[in-house]
Amino acid sequence: MGTPAMQDDIEAGLLLPLRVLVYSDAEGQTWLAYADPAELSALDGIAEDAPYIAMMQGALKKLTGAAAGM
């Protein structure tokens, strides 16, 4: 999914690949965090409605949902 973004704006490569951070806080609660792929639209060559942004968001939602047992 990252290749089309980098074809639209090579600087997207600075934000890719997509990453998920898993960590525990001081109370022992586990958290999942990631940057919303919609942030790619801040780059000049990437439209807010670029189809790969929605695909990336869906993939992250599915991955983090599975990791969280949802």
Side-chain angles (χ1 to χ4, degrees), residues 1-3 5-6 9 11-19 37 40 56:
M1 290 178 273
T3 299
M6 289 187 291
D9 191 319
E11 290 183 11
L14 296 171
L15 304 171
L16 299 169
L18 300 174
R19 296 172 301 278
L40 289 169
M56 290 176 185

Side-chain angles (χ1 to χ4, degrees), residues 8-9 37-38 40-53:
D8 286 347
D9 191 319
L40 289 169
S41 66
L43 299 172
D44 289 332
I46 298 181
E48 288 183 26
D49 62 348
Y52 49 79
I53 291 177

Side-chain angles (χ1 to χ4, degrees), residues 20 22 32 34 58-70:
V20 176
V22 180
L32 299 168
Y34 58 87
L60 283 169
K61 183 176 180 179
K62 185 175 180 180
L63 174 73
T64 56
M70 302 174 107

